[in-house]
Amino acid sequence: MTGTTGTILKPSDFQSSQEPRWCPGCGDYAILKQVQTVLAEKGYQPHEVVFISGIGCSSRFPYYMNTYGMHTIHGRAPAIATGLKVMRPDLSVWVITGDGDALAIGGNHLIHALRRNVDINILLFNNEIYGLTKGQYSPTSELYKVTKSSPWGTAENPFNPVLLALSAGATFVARTIDREVKHQREILKQADDHKGVSFVEIYQNCNVFNDGAFADFTDKKKQPETTIFLKHGEPAIFGVNRDKCLVVENGRLKVVKIEPEGSLPGNVYVHDETSLEKAMLVASLFGPAEHVPRPFGVFYRVRKPTYEEQLRQQRDRAKEKMGEVSLQDLLYGDETWQVK
Amino acid sequence: MTGTTGTILKPSDFQSSQEPRWCPGCGDYAILKQVQTVLAEKGYQPHEVVFISGIGCSSRFPYYMNTYGMHTIHGRAPAIATGLKVMRPDLSVWVITGDGDALAIGGNHLIHALRRNVDINILLFNNEIYGLTKGQYSPTSELYKVTKSSPWGTAENPFNPVLLALSAGATFVARTIDREVKHQREILKQADDHKGVSFVEIYQNCNVFNDGAFADFTDKKKQPETTIFLKHGEPAIFGVNRDKCLVVENGRLKVVKIEPEGSLPGNVYVHDETSLEKAMLVASLFGPAEHVPRPFGVFYRVRKPTYEEQLRQQRDRAKEKMGEVSLQDLLYGDETWQVK
Amino acid sequence: MSQEKPSVTVRFAGDSGDGMQLAGINFSFESALEGHDIATFPDYPAEIRAPRGTLYGVSGFQVRFGREEVLTAGDEVDVLVAMNPAALKRTLHLLKEGGILIADSDAFDAKNLRLAGYDTNPLENDDLKKKYKVLSLPITSLVREALKDSPLSVKLKDRTRNMFVLGLVFWIFSRDLDIAKDLIRRKFANKPEILSANLKVLEAGYYLGETLEIEIPKIKVSKASLPEGRYRTITGNQATALGLITASKLSGLPLYFVSYPITPASDILHDMARYRYMDVVAIQAEDEIAAISSAIGAAYGGAIGVTATSGPGLSLMSEALGLAVMTELPVIVIDVQRAGPSTGMPTKPEQADLLQAMFGRHGEAPLIVLASATPSDNFYMAIEAVRLATTHITPVILLSDLYLANGAEPWIIPDVNNLPKWKPHIWRGNGDYKPYMRDEETLARWWAIPGTEGAQHVVGGLEKEDVTGNVSYDPVNHEKMVRLRLEKVKRVADDIPEQEVTTGVPEGDLVIVGWGSTYGVIRSVVKQLVEQGYSVGHVHIRYLNPFPSNLQEVLGRFKKILVVEMNMGQLAFLLRGTFLMNVYQFNKVQGVPITERELMSEALKLLK
Amino acid sequence: MSQEKPSVTVRFAGDSGDGMQLAGINFSFESALEGHDIATFPDYPAEIRAPRGTLYGVSGFQVRFGREEVLTAGDEVDVLVAMNPAALKRTLHLLKEGGILIADSDAFDAKNLRLAGYDTNPLENDDLKKKYKVLSLPITSLVREALKDSPLSVKLKDRTRNMFVLGLVFWIFSRDLDIAKDLIRRKFANKPEILSANLKVLEAGYYLGETLEIEIPKIKVSKASLPEGRYRTITGNQATALGLITASKLSGLPLYFVSYPITPASDILHDMARYRYMDVVAIQAEDEIAAISSAIGAAYGGAIGVTATSGPGLSLMSEALGLAVMTELPVIVIDVQRAGPSTGMPTKPEQADLLQAMFGRHGEAPLIVLASATPSDNFYMAIEAVRLATTHITPVILLSDLYLANGAEPWIIPDVNNLPKWKPHIWRGNGDYKPYMRDEETLARWWAIPGTEGAQHVVGGLEKEDVTGNVSYDPVNHEKMVRLRLEKVKRVADDIPEQEVTTGVPEGDLVIVGWGSTYGVIRSVVKQLVEQGYSVGHVHIRYLNPFPSNLQEVLGRFKKILVVEMNMGQLAFLLRGTFLMNVYQFNKVQGVPITERELMSEALKLLK
Ligand SMILES: Cc1ncc(C[n+]2csc(CCOP(=O)(O)OP(=O)(O)O)c2C)c(N)n1
Ligand SMILES: Cc1ncc(C[n+]2csc(CCOP(=O)(O)OP(=O)(O)O)c2C)c(N)n1
Ligand code: SF4
Ligand code: SF4
Ligand SMILES: [Mg+2]
Ligand SMILES: [Mg+2]
């Protein structure tokens, strides 16, 4: 959805008078900035946009936007946004959530919003930790991670949020990272362009309780070897010298060296945003950065009727069948009688 | 886990004195029978087994078992079973749940139990409807389905439970169907054999509110064309004349005719239970039975440390580091002083 | 031979599959149509389709009709239909001495007798025949005989037995078969063979009456003198659904209804989903937390956010209701109470969620609590809930219960044009908007709808600074806000009717106080007591938080106060705690309604 | 020059990063070690790391120590440390006239002054100097100077400023530096450079005192006459964790602790997770519903199922708590209350979850409610919660609050062997087990553990037949079960101590009633009033449901009853409703503790 009422604004026009209260250095700042930029670039007016968040550091986001907003309760933002969007398809509705908010307490609402394809943009700030409650592990923290609530290391495997979103029925799924502001902005723009639910996982550094969680992917030296930036219709090539690629072998992805230089193997993985199967395949690259590169970009994008559209059609079917019915007739119902 | 204490029992030894109160003809009866049979065959004693259910027709299950059981609240059975199993790894713990119970209100606990790989067996009785509350649509009801709560057809896409379970981290995922009792029994046995969380989706006919939902897959005439029974290491062949197979083409599955007879194409899909990627690929066959066959059997099976095992190791690490600490010492803590 | 009675109660009882609900509804409607007042009590089993012949599979429908105001479905029945031994076993105790028992003797076979726990066939018991007028008829055979030319299967033929007894009951009350036929015709319009079988059997039952050899009195009940107007029958759940839609029109606000199915509230969802053509959005959420949450989202967006549930769902909504209190948004929760705690007895009535509605949220989180008194009162109280929510900008809980939800009564259909409209407290100004600016009188904050230019703001669960709505940890501000939220709800007392003495004397020896579905039984008992010369009043409270401003004064006019509830004394506790007022209690927590007899005897004890 | 005082209060205030908590804890511990009684009040901001210099980023730690029983952290402070202008602005009002102010003059630069909203530098204000003894020192410079040879970065050097002021405060109170050094050595054992810097700066602060040119009194406080024994300091949350583990040993039952992080309860989870080597299973659930649910599962399996949370989590547990009531399983919920409603003010104390604990479930769902009175009382009340749960086989809610949770006091460590053991009400018989067989006296049902041969049974949320536990919709049975569940909880009154008058006279003019963390302030005020010759008693209720059997009688001995709460009057309402007893209320809902002065003035009003 794009703004309708008038002048193009500056990013700062989307900034509220409240000073952000995140820790100095927190990755949340960068994301705030990009969102404001994207809204301005897309020509929205502040009163056309609503930010709904749950609870967590990231969920403070709405306070810093000069738009409408709700800072709600832990885990329920997707449900709240659903009610809002269904009644107000004219608004641009964004959900801001954290890895605990979205995947611990809020997991159910998240997958249901994705399944229903509500036309909202869900930004999951994944810092692999509970920031606001000062450092417990989250459903995305890696196995054995030592945190305040796991002094002896955790005992549980993390979720792969992208994979979960794909299997729940999301129609736009992407991953980006706080430090790559250009990539981030591009992804946010596309998420907003997408008609239907958009799920964007954003790796976000919590420099206080989980500093460097994504250093493997942001460190400029390591990055070329540890990341793959997916592009629709293009083969998955990476490496400092762009000398590696992904191939499909017996249904799995494997990293191989491109040799001789420039000659891609026949089974090279070519990304196709419209294929759920391919999206899941490439999303399953989730191992340690030393061994498997981590994909970023748009995994999946497909246009399906949104929940609001389906609901509108449902109403149209009902109206077509029933014709115009007055409230008085409704109250009368099927059978009445007169007492004189 | 297999029973330890003594004599082999009969299926009827697992039957309680309570008469089942499901509707005559309900698919739940067949499943009850198979579970009792499997427990007997595997040599369990009734006091070693616990059934935990939520709320729904299917969730009445524990009353009909002569084992321990809890008929709990809507959607929470996986969480309750987690607490039980963690404290009592010696027991065989089963979760009985419905499509509403597991995937509507209980979706979050389900995916978390799967992620943690708790060594329990989760049987999801999927009848694509809310039975107990008399016929509303569920998260597995097909789009546009007319039910009590969707007189004009639903507006939302169903979940694919197998895909969701795979992406959440389940280590054993299977699908079977009420009417195929032998297949069902085999799957239940393997689910119980599996160390780690087992997720079994069982298509179950609700003959009162959703009769024939799975007729495409049970009708003996249609079945050969509409179903694929997966076998580890074997190519996916089906059809009345076993003349069709699945092939992988550009990362997707396609149905092709085997011709000439007996000569499988090179890109035929060969099932591999140990491959998450393959499991997801074949699980994504979820379209209407006229167009795509529906896979049954074990999609995925892999041995990973269970939650209980991880918790035990966690404790061992802690003990190793701390040595034996008496309660008195614990109360003393780090710093004390004496007042005389 | 014919008897004249002020009111009569009939109960149809049989297997779940025997169509007793249909027979009962048909008879009730016809009774209403003939000009009687009616009250009904459907009483079905917990199981979807219990095995035939079992005690727990018995489904019942009780209807009372009369020439006077009919306030309850009756303690006892005049005519009992028992389609099998289990039905007889479960309901015979309800039959008055001398009452008429109609039984299908064909169903009293060895298997069914055993399932019902009878050693011998009770129909052949002489005591039974002495005590009641027993019409033991081979109904199954008679039906099959009547349909011997029908192409239907035996199973389908047998399904029409309910029409046979309906016909017979029509004969007993000299009713007009045509109305019943009309109803049946509409129901089976698309199934001509089933339709004709039903009509045939209905007549067969009716005309059997004429040929009966034993003497059965024909019972006459004069018409009620109901106020003039157009009537329909309505259940509590239907009334709620219609009330909400009406409120949407009266307020000019869009309606967002969202619910997660739960007995006995699901029918509201079903109705609302059907009314999609009325521009209602009706959604089935993934659970009750999502339901209330999305209602909050919709309310933030400028809609009336409504959800309906029962006890377990209300419990789940606790946290989000706190958010609704904090953000001060107009969301409405309809709690159709059932017997608890926990899953309890989902198909049985109870009134034990009152204190939960009052206090079931952490922190100081006051909200408006209403309760409807009769099935049709749900229409007005639903409107009232929306009116108060959208003018005082605060969440409202409306308590209904299973007995109201499923019970039906004749309802005089209001003229939509005569229903008062109101103006929601919506921000339409162009000035400087702050989310916690308030109306001076009501303390309602201004509701600014996203999309309104210049009124961007953020609401949320953290404590906010008065007026500006900025997050604030200031100690004095917090107390101020806590007191403002409380005071806002208290001031609603200025906007609701004063408490009336519903029935009986305005002051005197005893006042019987109730809320919710005990209305009928209390009113009935108080009327009788007053007739007998006692000085008794009935105060029925529909506004539970805040109480009407004169409630204490009204109750104070009586020497004794008896609080009647289907719980362990929750309103009694509230009255004690609020007014330091000594009250007597009558509590019944059995999942069945309080009977007139029980209440009468309690009241008489206090009047001695 | 030196002053002798009965008790003294010190407050350290600065930026979140300034290490004020560490300085405060260190000083508190040393005070305790020197034989004083202490009470502490850490008061940190809501933000994780608020920007430096902001008002909302101020972190404080207040400690009071004295020769007598020290009951509160003090209304006013004798010594105030203000590391920057914001800290001064936020806390100066607490400083007594004539008190000592220590400020880092280096931090009072233009930027910080502006952030704190000062137009001019308050340290240069003559009034300030007249009213207080101002020690305005260039602490940052002094610290850098002291560490000029250290290899640490300036940033790290500056981080030791807290040690400088700690040293100075030590000097003011003539404290033994060695103890502080010991603590620091342990803390930085693995970081030798940081350790040596801290030690150096600590000494620099101490010795500066000796060279100060302005006249600062050295303050002396005699030691307290505490009972003999081995002591430690303990916070409420630490006490809870230790109490639970102790209860596990005393009962011989395994402990399952499960929690979802939430302020201010998270530290219990952190402790329990650390204590993994004590055979505790400590789990972080996906949410609070999972937490309570899995605790129920664990309890069914024969463990003590415990979860800890705060208001929002308690709200989410409503439904599952109903299941625990219905299945009658020993689960314990510890609710560390914070300011609500909704998210409220998560880092501020309040006591507004009492009615939610009592009534926050649909249906009639009674359970035991306890509340601890002091930080260390959490140890005993946690044990008590487990004892009552596992002997009466019922859920228990234990109310703590943020003030107790984070506050520390000296605690005389009990000898484990002297703590009374008990026998959980577990089924070990071989006879015919039925889940709702009960102990005749307590009405506790027998707890049969899966794995026990022959005791297979099913529990659940549906109403069950008495004794057999089969699903039952029988009306009379339902009422019986409702009453049994209620009566079972009521009879717990026979198993708890009678209510004592905690402080003051046993009967007389006024009783001040409280629960939870108001213990200290009430006791302190009552002691003073009694000293002043008033006839006042203090009744502190730790058993809130059921109340001690003699509570009504005890309260009845006083002419007036004043109920003091950090809410709008929840206990007051319970007392009114339960005993029809008129009570006065003193309520403060500001997210800050009630002060002695406030309560004193309220009490005096009633004593006039
Ligand atoms: C019902 C409830 N339970 C627990 C909390 C405490 N809580 C607040 S935020 C949070 C988790 C934050 O983690 P995440 O969602 O990852 O956000 P982050 O702070 O890392 O941005 C928790 C557990 C709460 N506010 N409400
Ligand atoms: C908190 C709560 N909400 C709603 C209900 C009502 N309810 C009972 S079972 C059920 C759904 C049943 O559907 P499913 O899980 O598919 O089981 P089935 O009956 O089809 O076997 C619902 C909504 C409930 N018991 N508790
Ligand atoms: S705690 Fe972490 S996530 Fe939260 S504001 Fe600070 S750096 Fe950011
Ligand atoms: S309603 Fe459906 S699922 Fe439930 S018992 Fe009947 S047939 Fe089975
Ligand atoms: Mg996080
Ligand atoms: Mg179902």
Side-chain angles (χ1 to χ4, degrees), chain B residues 5 13 17-18 21 45-52 55 60-74 76-88 90-91 105 108-110 112-113 115-116 307-308 310-320 322-340, chain D residues 29 32-36 183 186 226-233 242-243 245-246 249 254-256 274-287 289-290 293-298 300-303 319-320 323 327 329 379 410-411 413-417 419 448-462 464 469-471 473:
Chain B
T5 27
D13 291 324
S17 60
Q18 302 295 303
R21 296 194 174 181
Q45 301 294 314
H47 64 275
E48 302 168 335
V49 185
V50 189
F51 283 85
I52 312 272
I55 299 283
R60 290 240 163 184
F61 198 98
Y63 292 118
Y64 311 136
M65 297 295 299
N66 177 32
T67 61
Y68 283 91
M70 290 187 92
H71 175 223
T72 69
I73 44 177
H74 202 28
R76 317 302 171 191
I80 293 172
T82 299
L84 174 64
K85 182 72 187 183
V86 157
M87 294 312 280
R88 299 296 306 278
D90 56 313
L91 299 170
I105 193 166
N108 202 34
H109 307 303
L110 176 70
H112 280 271
R115 170 172 78 86
R116 294 194 181 108
Y307 192 42
E308 310 89 274
Q310 293 282 17
L311 285 171
R312 207 177 322 128
Q313 283 171 31
Q314 191 186 62
R315 188 201 54 193
D316 294 347
R317 290 195 295 275
K319 286 207 174 209
E320 197 182 300
M322 302 299 293
E324 205 51 55
V325 179
S326 74
L327 176 60
Q328 191 68 59
D329 282 346
L330 192 77
L331 298 191
Y332 278 176
D334 296 336
E335 315 277 352
T336 66
W337 68 94
Q338 186 74 35
V339 171
K340 275 180 211 118
Chain D
F29 183 69
L33 226 62
E34 295 234 343
H36 299 301
L183 286 175
R186 259 193 295 265
L226 293 170
E228 204 176 300
R230 182 149 285 281
Y231 281 77
R232 60 171 288 179
T233 61
L242 293 176
I245 295 180
T246 305
K249 305 285 172 196
L255 180 60
Y256 178 79
R274 222 159 20 86
Y275 296 149
R276 198 73 186 87
Y277 54 88
M278 298 300 292
D279 287 304
V280 194
V281 177
I283 280 187
Q284 181 175 316
E286 60 268 28
D287 65 11
I289 301 181
S293 296
S294 74
I296 290 173
Y300 183 67
E319 195 208 3
L323 178 68
T327 53
L329 283 169
F379 177 80
W411 179 50
I413 302 158
D415 182 339
V416 170
N417 298 314
L419 295 170
I449 314 292
T452 309
E453 235 170 302
Q456 293 96 283
H457 66 281
V458 179
V459 295
L462 284 171
K464 297 299 190 312
N470 293 332
V471 175
Y473 285 76

Side-chain angles (χ1 to χ4, degrees), chain A residues 7-136:
Chain A
T7 47
I8 297 295
L9 301 173
K10 298 183 299 298
S12 61
D13 291 323
F14 287 89
Q15 201 171 301
S16 80
S17 62
Q18 302 295 302
E19 210 186 310
R21 295 193 175 184
W22 291 306
C23 305
C26 176
D28 290 348
Y29 286 99
I31 311 173
L32 177 65
K33 186 96 185 277
Q34 300 325 308
V35 170
Q36 290 168 342
T37 307
V38 166
L39 290 179
E41 284 180 8
K42 296 207 52 189
Y44 283 106
Q45 300 295 312
H47 64 275
E48 303 168 334
V49 186
V50 189
F51 283 84
I52 312 272
S53 65
I55 299 283
C57 291
S58 35
S59 288
R60 291 241 163 184
F61 198 99
Y63 292 118
Y64 312 136
M65 298 295 300
N66 178 33
T67 62
Y68 283 91
M70 289 186 94
H71 176 224
T72 69
I73 44 176
H74 202 26
R76 317 301 170 192
I80 292 172
T82 298
L84 174 64
K85 182 72 189 184
V86 158
M87 294 311 280
R88 298 297 305 279
D90 56 312
L91 299 170
S92 170
V93 178
W94 299 66
V95 166
I96 305 292
T97 181
D99 42 325
D101 195 58
L103 296 169
I105 194 166
N108 203 33
H109 308 301
L110 176 70
I111 58 179
H112 281 271
L114 297 176
R115 170 171 79 85
R116 295 194 181 109
N117 198 27
V118 188
D119 185 17
I120 54 180
N121 304 317
I122 303 176
L123 311 187
L124 193 162
F125 292 33
N126 183 4
N127 55 13
E128 299 187 351
I129 199 85
Y130 286 6
L132 193 69
T133 47
K134 307 196 176 177
Q136 298 83 9

Side-chain angles (χ1 to χ4, degrees), chain C residues 240-547:
Chain C
T240 302
L242 293 176
L244 292 173
I245 294 180
T246 306
S248 162
K249 306 284 172 196
L250 295 176
S251 62
L253 291 170
L255 180 60
Y256 178 78
F257 180 87
V258 58
S259 174
Y260 186 71
I262 188 166
T263 307
S266 308
D267 280 338
I268 306 177
L269 170 63
H270 304 160
D271 274 0
M272 295 306 260
R274 221 157 22 84
Y275 296 149
R276 196 76 184 86
Y277 54 88
M278 297 300 292
D279 287 307
V280 195
V281 177
I283 280 188
Q284 180 175 316
E286 60 268 29
D287 64 11
E288 288 87 350
I289 301 181
I292 176 77
S293 296
S294 74
I296 291 173
Y300 182 68
I304 311 167
V306 189
T307 179
T309 188
S310 189
L314 184 65
S315 283
L316 284 172
M317 293 179 187
S318 303
E319 194 208 3
L321 269 172
L323 178 68
V325 168
M326 202 68 161
T327 53
E328 305 189 36
L329 283 170
V331 295
I332 292 127
V333 177
I334 294 152
D335 174 25
V336 188
Q337 299 163 92
R338 67 187 208 187
S342 195
T343 314
M345 307 196 301
T347 53
K348 303 292 168 192
E350 200 160 288
Q351 306 182 297
D353 298 352
L354 172 56
L355 291 178
Q356 151 101 337
M358 288 292 300
F359 303 120
R361 295 161 294 282
H362 65 279
E364 297 287 348
L367 42 69
I368 298 174
V369 181
L370 311 177
S372 22
T374 67
S376 64
D377 192 34
N378 270 305
F379 177 79
Y380 296 102
M381 291 312 270
I383 296 177
E384 199 58 352
V386 176
R387 180 182 70 86
L388 294 174
T390 57
T391 50
H392 296 262
I393 313 297
T394 173
V396 176
I397 294 180
L398 169 58
L399 298 170
S400 174
D401 68 44
L402 186 142
Y403 190 51
L404 295 176
N406 294 345
E409 62 180 2
W411 179 50
I412 181 163
I413 303 159
D415 181 338
V416 170
N417 298 316
N418 293 340
L419 294 171
K421 298 190 159 123
W422 68 86
K423 253 179 68 179
H425 192 62
I426 290 182
W427 173 257
R428 306 199 191 272
N430 283 315
D432 192 19
Y433 175 77
K434 300 283 175 218
Y436 289 93
M437 295 186 305
R438 292 173 190 280
D439 181 275
E440 260 178 45
E441 229 165 275
T442 62
L443 298 181
R445 75 175 192 89
W446 289 97
W447 186 16
I449 314 292
T452 310
E453 234 170 303
Q456 294 96 284
H457 67 280
V458 179
V459 295
L462 283 171
E463 186 58 286
K464 297 299 189 314
E465 191 178 61
D466 191 21
V467 184
T468 68
N470 293 332
V471 174
S472 167
Y473 285 77
D474 179 71
V476 175
N477 176 74
H478 176 50
E479 180 150 336
K480 185 174 181 189
M481 294 301 277
V482 166
R483 289 183 188 272
L484 271 172
R485 287 185 288 261
L486 187 61
E487 180 63 20
K488 182 182 70 167
V489 172
K490 282 196 174 153
R491 289 202 190 167
V492 169
D494 302 336
D495 193 19
I496 59 176
E498 293 219 321
Q499 181 64 50
E500 289 179 2
V501 178
T502 323
T503 323
V505 302
E507 57 190 295
D509 292 337
L510 175 70
V511 59
I512 307 189
V513 182
W515 63 282
S517 66
T518 50
Y519 177 84
V521 66
I522 299 176
R523 181 167 167 91
S524 176
V525 165
V526 168
K527 278 171 99 174
Q528 293 168 49
L529 285 168
V530 169
E531 261 170 41
Q532 292 166 32
Y534 289 103
S535 158
V536 182
H538 171 200
V539 163
H540 214 74
I541 309 181
R542 292 155 79 228
Y543 296 85
L544 289 155
N545 196 40
F547 284 134

Side-chain angles (χ1 to χ4, degrees), chain C residues 141-160:
Chain C
S141 318
L142 292 168
V143 162
R144 290 185 191 167
E145 173 63 24
L147 296 180
K148 61 176 184 295
D149 300 331
S150 160
L152 293 182
S153 68
V154 176
K155 198 171 153 194
L156 285 178
K157 285 180 185 167
D158 286 359
R159 281 243 185 105
T160 64

Side-chain angles (χ1 to χ4, degrees), chain C residues 36-78:
Chain C
H36 298 300
D37 195 7
I38 62 161
T40 73
F41 178 47
D43 185 19
Y44 22 74
E47 278 69 31
I48 308 298
R49 293 274 186 282
R52 290 195 69 83
T54 56
L55 284 167
Y56 61 85
V58 174
S59 171
F61 191 101
Q62 187 164 318
V63 50
R64 184 178 178 192
F65 62 97
R67 71 163 178 258
E68 292 172 35
E69 203 186 18
V70 172
L71 290 160
T72 72
D75 292 5
E76 298 177 319
V77 310
D78 299 277

Side-chain angles (χ1 to χ4, degrees), chain B residues 93-95 110 113-114 117-124 165 170-174 187-201 300:
Chain B
V93 178
W94 299 66
V95 166
L110 176 70
L114 298 176
N117 198 26
V118 187
D119 185 16
I120 54 180
N121 304 318
I122 302 177
L123 311 188
L124 192 161
T171 53
F172 179 98
V173 179
I187 294 289
L188 291 175
K189 239 189 259 174
Q190 294 183 32
D192 188 51
D193 285 342
H194 176 69
K195 187 101 189 132
V197 74
S198 305
F199 175 84
V200 182
E201 181 187 21
Y300 186 54

